Amino acid sequence: MATKKTLKKAPAAAASAWDKVKIARDAKRPHVWDFIEGIFDDFEELHGDRLVNDDAAMVAGFGTIGGEKVLLLGHHKGATVEENMAANFGMANPDGYRKAMRLGKLAERFGNPIVTFVDTPGAYPGREAEERGQAEAIAKSLEFFSALKTPIVVVVTGEGGSGGALAIAVGDRILMMENAVYSVISPEGCAGILWRDGAKAPEAAEALKITAPDLLSLGAIDEIIPEPAGGAHKNHKRACANVKKAVLKALKELKGIALDELVEKRYAKIRSYGNFY
Amino acid sequence: MSWFEPKAEKPKIPPAKALWAICPKCKSHMAKEVWKNNNSICPKCNYHGRLPVRERIRQIADESTFVELFREVSYSDHLGFHDATGDYKSKVDATIAKTGETESIVVGTCEIGGHRAMLGVMDFSFMGGSLGSGTGERIARACEQAIAERRALVLFCASGGARMHEGILSLMQMTKTSAAIGRLKAAGLPYISVCTDPTTGGVSASFAMLGDINITEPKALIGFAGRRVIENTIHQKLPADFQTSEYLEKHGFIDKIVERKDLKPFIAKMLNYWGF
Ligand SMILES: [Zn+2]
């Protein structure tokens, strides 16, 4: 039987990949609007892809952070059941990615750096999503942000779910919060295919190497943003302060680089992703 | 993101069944010879079946013009990945032994109807055509060499998506290939994507959908999310022709459905229109 003493002894560093998945998905974890309110001096949300829709799963707008005028793009999961439903739990439709690109083009024109907040289970798997070209919208985003002539700072704040996350996670600095996860496929999805049993998700999570330290060692991210003790959900204020500090530092570093050189460096970074013989 | 679990070994087929082929679309039975002699196309429903990678190259590249590149670029089991069915390394090594290929795409220079091209053909029999680091690297290198040599890029896609055994770096190949293709286009070179059966998941959401024109063969499966995943999400039955070539053409994501026999002349014609 576990006594209080033995429980206390359990080392905090022993959090498994699956523990992190649970923290990353915690409903109380700061979401995009918490970060906007906690980090930005001011913010104006803008809507719509100018084609068919405004996707509530993708928040976009201009704002000021530490005096820097930036474009913010971020997945929106929603804090209430109504918001969850409206935003499909942060699963964007093609319209969301097209809104991101439309405003990204504006940021390029007016010299605004882009800051993205990544937190999604994945792109929305729906009939209209497919009919309106979910695959094409994600593909275009990857091509688009790879070559966009303005600095891009990415923060993976919660769940980095596959292609739906990646579409707004191409940039010059990829930051990731300590307890965030980022994966090619959800642990449940991977377990369903390779273990033929979705319940084996904890094993799949371990095998896929989806935690921030794993991703740093694989070269997929550049920096880990520390979280307050117990996780960002325990102390939003502290979490926001840490994110703000890391974002401003990255923006400052990127500011001095000529745009042509910036895009060359970004390509070199993207080009280096991989491990092969 | 991958739709299919690649099988290292196929179940043994009883001798009597070995002579028969079944169309996966309309379920018609026919002698294997009939299927084969019809270029792996169903004579009943015109489904264009999967073609072996070397046969595809033979049908698209002008005779003796294909020069393979980057064959030395192959997979790495950098995660030491293993699952309930075994370890990644054994699965790929068995695939390499069986197929004689070293990655899920074969790339090389060639001429197509006299037009200088960089050709890539994905191999669905290699780990379900999944996008691994080696696959992405071959495509990126192909783009860069095409820019240097002023060649048009033609990619035949066939894939279940990203190769999850390679974790996050397989996802990053979507960015790598898309960025490289962006550069090729910026250099004024054309890219024709041919989405063959099946083109799904992370491959559909990267280079497959980035063609200056996207074409496909009849009745191919093309889509991002799996049908079952969608049906479970929206609690609705999807139409029978959902995510087919015909469906995508109707919704504006495919420029043209081209019969297998017409693919080469069609590609050559487009390259000619564009002055290549
Ligand atoms: Zn048939």
Side-chain angles (χ1 to χ4, degrees):
Chain A
M1 203 172 81
T3 65
K4 215 175 183 177
K5 208 176 167 192
T6 57
L7 276 178
K8 223 177 180 178
K9 266 189 185 165
S16 68
W18 186 243
D19 290 334
K20 297 227 170 181
V21 170
K22 286 189 282 190
I23 297 173
R25 290 176 181 169
D26 194 301
K28 293 196 179 66
R29 197 172 168 80
H31 290 162
V32 65
W33 281 104
D34 299 311
F35 286 117
I36 292 170
E37 279 156 26
I39 292 177
F40 279 71
D41 312 322
D42 54 71
F43 180 71
E44 284 297 339
E45 187 180 7
L46 300 170
H47 295 277
D49 64 354
R50 294 292 188 277
L51 297 165
V52 290
N53 209 0
D54 179 51
D55 188 353
M58 180 70 69
V59 176
F62 287 86
T64 313
I65 169 170
E68 296 290 332
K69 296 167 209 160
V70 305
L71 169 70
L72 172 136
L73 303 171
H75 298 104
H76 175 47
K77 281 186 170 176
T80 62
V81 175
E82 291 74 32
E83 281 183 13
N84 292 156
M85 299 299 278
N88 284 320
F89 295 85
M91 295 185 281
N93 272 283
D95 334 329
Y97 300 115
R98 289 177 185 135
K99 172 165 67 176
M101 284 186 271
R102 176 175 79 82
L103 294 169
K105 200 75 202 161
L106 271 188
E108 181 187 57
R109 263 180 68 199
F110 299 116
N112 303 106
I114 300 174
V115 178
T116 78
F117 288 84
V118 177
D119 186 17
T120 178
Y124 186 65
R127 177 175 172 165
E128 287 81 13
E130 295 285 321
E131 290 175 349
R132 295 204 292 267
Q134 187 70 285
E136 194 266 355
I138 293 170
K140 267 282 154 55
S141 299
L142 301 177
E143 185 183 353
F144 176 83
F145 288 112
S146 294
L148 198 68
K149 284 191 172 178
T150 198
I152 306 172
V153 177
V154 174
V155 189
V156 183
T157 64
E159 269 185 288
S162 189
L166 187 66
I168 60 160
V170 175
D172 304 296
R173 290 284 186 282
I174 318 295
L175 317 177
M176 185 166 169
M177 293 184 73
E178 189 183 339
N179 290 306
V181 293
Y182 191 4
S183 180
V184 61
I185 183 170
S186 72
E188 290 88 344
C190 180
I193 301 168
L194 294 181
W195 276 260
R196 310 226 177 269
D197 178 5
K200 292 284 193 284
E203 273 135 289
E206 203 61 54
L208 285 166
K209 302 275 186 276
I210 60 178
T211 69
D214 287 332
L215 265 66
L216 188 67
S217 72
L218 291 167
I221 63 164
D222 302 308
E223 192 181 317
I224 299 173
I225 303 175
E227 293 187 24
H233 57 290
K234 301 276 192 193
N235 188 340
H236 281 201
K237 214 176 152 186
R238 175 65 61 80
C240 283
N242 291 356
V243 169
K244 183 173 183 173
K245 193 177 154 201
V247 167
L248 286 177
K249 181 175 143 258
L251 285 173
K252 200 178 163 195
E253 285 166 7
L254 297 171
K255 216 177 178 178
I257 306 172
L259 291 179
D260 286 335
E261 192 191 341
L262 182 80
V263 172
E264 281 308 311
K265 281 187 165 171
R266 190 186 306 148
Y267 183 72
K269 175 195 195 64
I270 291 167
R271 197 59 191 76
S272 75
Y273 292 142
N275 193 319
F276 53 85
Y277 285 109
Chain B
M1 299 203 48
S2 185
W3 287 23
F4 308 95
E5 151 66 339
K7 288 188 185 71
E9 252 180 280
K10 276 194 176 157
K12 297 246 179 334
I13 303 161
K17 272 195 182 164
L19 298 170
W20 290 90
I22 301 167
C23 170
K25 293 285 153 170
C26 72
K27 313 290 174 206
S28 302
H29 287 57
M30 70 206 81
K32 258 199 177 153
E33 280 305 299
V34 173
W35 179 263
K36 223 176 154 187
N37 291 340
N38 203 38
N39 204 5
S40 304
I41 298 164
C42 176
K44 293 259 168 60
C45 76
N46 200 32
Y47 162 65
H48 280 45
R50 292 164 197 168
L51 212 55
V53 58
R54 298 289 161 176
E55 176 58 21
R56 179 72 79 180
I57 293 168
R58 200 191 62 73
Q59 292 185 21
I60 298 300
D62 294 351
E63 208 180 331
S64 11
T65 63
F66 185 77
V67 178
E68 190 173 351
L69 294 167
F70 319 127
R71 200 179 152 76
E72 71 284 4
V73 175
S74 186
Y75 87 100
S76 135
D77 179 24
H78 60 276
L79 299 183
F81 192 96
H82 59 92
D83 56 54
T85 61
D87 61 288
Y88 173 45
K89 189 172 186 309
S90 318
K91 284 187 203 180
V92 200
D93 287 345
T95 299
I96 289 171
K98 192 181 79 185
T99 61
E101 304 297 347
T102 50
E103 249 310 346
S104 61
I105 191 166
V106 175
V107 301
T109 55
C110 69
E111 290 188 11
I112 301 175
H115 301 276
R116 285 157 49 78
M118 179 67 74
L119 176 66
V121 178
M122 294 191 85
D123 184 357
F124 191 78
S125 68
F126 192 102
M127 299 293 289
S130 56
L131 174 61
S133 286
T135 321
E137 181 66 20
R138 284 188 185 186
I139 293 172
R141 287 191 193 185
C143 290
E144 286 159 357
Q145 185 156 333
I147 294 170
E149 296 178 358
R150 308 293 304 164
R151 289 175 184 273
L153 177 68
V154 178
L155 294 181
F156 280 74
C157 306
S159 175
R163 192 177 299 162
M164 53 193 145
H165 314 74
E166 292 189 15
I168 197 73
L169 292 183
S170 66
L171 187 74
M172 296 300 148
Q173 302 313 305
M174 292 168 62
T175 313
K176 190 159 99 180
T177 52
S178 301
I181 283 165
R183 295 217 147 192
L184 176 114
K185 292 178 188 170
L189 298 165
Y191 165 40
I192 297 176
S193 169
V194 189
C195 303
T196 68
D197 184 64
T199 296
T200 62
V203 166
S204 75
S206 58
F207 54 90
M209 275 293 144
L210 290 176
D212 290 308
I213 56 167
N214 300 323
I215 60 176
T216 179
E217 294 181 322
K219 300 196 173 175
L221 170 67
I222 307 162
F224 177 65
R227 169 186 282 265
R228 248 188 318 157
V229 174
I230 298 171
E231 286 183 340
N232 289 341
T233 304
I234 65 173
H235 310 292
Q236 265 176 48
K237 273 275 176 210
L238 292 163
D241 65 344
F242 188 64
Q243 295 181 326
T244 59
S245 305
E246 295 71 19
Y247 200 81
L248 263 82
E249 189 188 52
K250 194 172 83 185
H251 286 280
F253 289 93
I254 288 293
D255 287 274
K256 195 177 171 72
I257 298 167
V258 184
E259 302 255 333
R260 187 162 286 166
K261 63 175 169 42
D262 300 327
L263 271 173
K264 180 175 173 171
F266 177 81
I267 291 167
K269 196 174 181 185
M270 293 311 296
L271 295 179
N272 186 49
Y273 282 141
W274 300 333
F276 274 84

